[in-house]
Amino acid sequence: MPPKVKTSAEKQAVRTAIMDAARELFIHQGVEAVTMRAVAQQVGYSATSLYLYFSDKDQLLRAVVDADVIKLAQSLKSTLSISDPLQRFLQFGQHYVQFALTNPNHYRMMFMTQHLPCDPAFSSIEQNNHEQDAYSQLIDVVTSAWHAGVFKPTLTDPVLIAQTVWAAMHGLCALQINLADDAWINWRPLEARMQAMVSMCMHGLMKETTHE
Amino acid sequence: MPPKVKTSAEKQAVRTAIMDAARELFIHQGVEAVTMRAVAQQVGYSATSLYLYFSDKDQLLRAVVDADVIKLAQSLKSTLSISDPLQRFLQFGQHYVQFALTNPNHYRMMFMTQHLPCDPAFSSIEQNNHEQDAYSQLIDVVTSAWHAGVFKPTLTDPVLIAQTVWAAMHGLCALQINLADDAWINWRPLEARMQAMVSMCMHGLMKETTHE
DNA sequence: ATCGTTAACTTAACATTGTTATTTTTAAAT
DNA sequence: ATTTAAAAATAACAATGTTAAGTTAACGAT
């Protein structure tokens, strides 16, 4: 029974309701295991109605991921107010890893599964908006630390530094998320690996005087 | 028309034929996009016949991945004969990254997709066999470099060092494979990122005297 | 008030997938 | 020659993403 004519606000509400249901299921069961029918049931619609709001499952996933990237940015935002550039950088990294490891399925969705590349022209995320764009936060955090002179003088490109640190931290998180339960590997405790990675990055990137 | 009674060698041949066909398709189309029917057609069987050789698609994938891990180990083996422990370590790492980036779909299958954890008890790979087990190669390469005294004296656990370096290199490869085409990120050239990562690892882990 | 019109939704239906049940073929054993 | 069972194919099922075809009811125009 369709109680007709929805304001665009109401339509938006349905959209986000669908996204919330989808995210909930994605997170607990993994993207592939979740069916459109299951999402629909969760949100109280028939399966085909989802297609009135999202053109297909990929687009639904893309929308959820975009929203989560914004959430990540929101979560990281708290560290941006730290005044000391070095401390800000360190806390930013720690928050990132913490987010990844406490929300492994979020993280997997965002950075570890192939999906349509994120096109800034059509994304719901505003690029370079610090409220939404975690990557631009990273670039800024590293750049300001760089201006503060914490990095080795041979390192002249803050963006390259940022991408390197990101890769290192991503590797830590990704292996943990995907292979932590693999009996093949005699994993050292996660805490030890995190500490070792941070230590390697600091010694590898910063001036001697900066650490310890 | 079944030309009956196969020796176990013949059965093994069919098994590997199926695996080869599956790998070929997995690599070019991604694991999810490949159907059992497509694999079967490629190998000249009916779809259901695959189930005489593999209990399901997951097991087929697992078998392909195991075989590829062995191939990775074979590929890395060439570096093990380098006599200088430091050079061996560096070449080993470079080969690993090169393998990952020239075989992105192999790599994705092996380390970037969730699948049944690899149980050493039932794996076709012989753990600690240097011909087959790339992880044990890594541990040995790092351990011998450690014994040669190339690492900072504060680093006392070669396994932890190995897992940290692996994570760093994995992060580099994984981001490249999954997000290289993402217009959101203004990626620095791959070469620059590789060089920056290696440099960070070296400065972060090795004695000052060791590099340059 | 009534009558289309159409937005919002549902039910049917389809093609494709992984997988199982059933049946066919045929080489060997008796 | 007849039986047996391995090796394969065909038929068939349930589940999935998705499209096509209805169905319902709120609104605008008369």
Side-chain angles (χ1 to χ4, degrees):
Chain A
M1 323 106 184
K4 173 143 129 157
V5 154
K6 287 191 157 148
T7 72
S8 80
E10 285 169 325
K11 277 167 73 168
Q12 191 58 44
V14 174
R15 242 183 93 94
T16 58
I18 294 171
M19 285 167 59
D20 288 345
R23 176 169 24 242
E24 196 65 16
L25 293 173
F26 286 163
I27 286 171
H28 287 93
Q29 311 179 19
V31 172
E32 295 172 42
V34 174
T35 71
M36 295 297 267
R37 284 167 175 85
V39 175
Q41 183 177 358
Q42 195 77 12
V43 77
Y45 277 101
S46 98
T48 52
S49 288
L50 303 196
Y51 291 85
L52 301 174
Y53 296 90
F54 299 92
S55 63
D56 57 23
K57 193 183 178 184
D58 267 348
Q59 293 288 343
L60 173 55
L61 173 61
R62 175 83 265 165
V64 170
V65 168
D66 279 6
D68 282 356
V69 169
I70 294 180
K71 256 192 244 172
L72 170 60
Q74 298 282 342
S75 155
L76 290 171
K77 203 176 55 175
S78 65
T79 65
L80 298 183
S81 57
I82 296 171
S83 56
D84 177 45
L86 174 60
Q87 279 305 313
R88 194 189 321 149
F89 175 50
L90 293 173
Q91 290 298 313
F92 186 87
Q94 189 175 322
H95 260 71
Y96 179 87
V97 172
Q98 191 177 329
F99 177 92
L101 298 180
T102 58
N103 305 287
N105 286 311
H106 275 101
Y107 193 78
R108 197 198 302 276
M109 271 200 310
M110 287 193 271
F111 300 123
M112 296 168 65
T113 59
Q114 359 177 214
H115 37 61
L116 320 173
C118 187
D119 187 339
F122 297 105
S123 173
S124 59
I125 309 169
E126 283 181 40
Q127 198 165 23
N128 300 324
N129 177 345
H130 270 38
E131 301 286 321
Q132 304 188 351
D133 182 354
Y135 176 72
S136 85
Q137 290 178 338
L138 169 69
I139 297 297
D140 274 29
V141 165
V142 172
T143 301
S144 57
W146 183 78
H147 278 122
V150 306
F151 295 116
K152 293 181 193 293
T154 50
L155 302 173
T156 57
D157 180 0
V159 172
L160 184 58
I161 297 173
Q163 293 180 352
T164 303
V165 172
W166 182 22
M169 294 303 167
H170 173 71
L172 180 75
C173 297
L175 287 186
Q176 169 65 17
I177 290 173
N178 251 358
L179 299 180
D181 294 331
D182 202 309
W184 199 274
I185 315 289
N186 181 19
W187 287 114
R188 290 296 183 253
L190 178 58
E191 272 301 325
R193 277 181 286 141
M194 282 180 50
Q195 210 249 304
M197 180 62 83
V198 170
S199 174
M200 182 181 85
C201 288
M202 292 195 57
H203 287 88
L205 296 173
M206 312 228 169
K207 283 183 185 160
E208 315 302 339
T209 56
T210 308
H211 43 85
E212 267 72 54
Chain B
M1 324 104 184
K4 162 144 143 165
V5 154
K6 288 191 158 149
T7 72
S8 80
E10 285 169 326
K11 275 166 76 169
Q12 191 57 45
V14 174
R15 242 184 92 93
T16 58
I18 294 171
M19 286 168 57
D20 289 345
R23 176 171 23 242
E24 196 64 17
L25 293 172
F26 287 161
I27 285 170
H28 287 93
Q29 313 180 18
V31 173
E32 295 171 42
V34 175
T35 71
M36 295 297 266
R37 285 168 175 83
V39 175
Q41 184 177 357
Q42 195 75 13
V43 75
Y45 277 102
S46 98
T48 53
S49 287
L50 304 195
Y51 290 85
L52 302 173
Y53 296 90
F54 299 93
S55 63
D56 58 23
K57 193 183 177 184
D58 267 348
Q59 294 289 344
L60 173 56
L61 172 61
R62 175 84 267 166
V64 171
V65 168
D66 279 6
D68 281 355
V69 169
I70 294 179
K71 255 192 244 170
L72 171 60
Q74 298 282 342
S75 156
L76 290 170
K77 203 176 55 173
S78 66
T79 65
L80 298 184
S81 57
I82 297 171
S83 56
D84 177 45
L86 175 60
Q87 280 306 313
R88 194 189 321 149
F89 175 51
L90 292 174
Q91 289 300 311
F92 186 86
Q94 188 175 323
H95 260 71
Y96 179 87
V97 172
Q98 190 177 329
F99 177 92
L101 298 180
T102 57
N103 305 286
N105 287 310
H106 275 100
Y107 193 78
R108 197 199 302 277
M109 273 199 309
M110 288 193 271
F111 300 123
M112 297 169 65
T113 59
Q114 0 177 215
H115 38 60
L116 319 173
C118 187
D119 187 339
F122 299 105
S123 172
S124 60
I125 309 168
E126 284 181 39
Q127 199 165 22
N128 300 324
N129 177 343
H130 269 39
E131 301 287 320
Q132 304 188 353
D133 182 354
Y135 176 71
S136 85
Q137 290 178 339
L138 169 69
I139 297 297
D140 274 30
V141 165
V142 172
T143 300
S144 58
W146 183 78
H147 278 122
V150 305
F151 295 116
K152 293 182 194 292
T154 51
L155 301 173
T156 57
D157 180 0
V159 172
L160 184 58
I161 298 173
Q163 293 180 353
T164 303
V165 173
W166 182 22
M169 293 304 166
H170 173 71
L172 178 76
C173 297
L175 287 185
Q176 169 65 17
I177 290 173
N178 250 0
L179 299 180
D181 294 331
D182 203 309
W184 199 273
I185 314 290
N186 181 18
W187 288 113
R188 291 295 183 254
L190 178 58
E191 272 301 324
R193 279 180 285 140
M194 282 181 51
Q195 210 250 304
M197 180 62 84
V198 169
S199 175
M200 181 180 86
C201 288
M202 292 196 59
H203 285 88
L205 297 173
M206 312 226 169
K207 282 183 184 159
E208 316 302 340
T209 57
T210 309
H211 44 84
E212 265 71 55

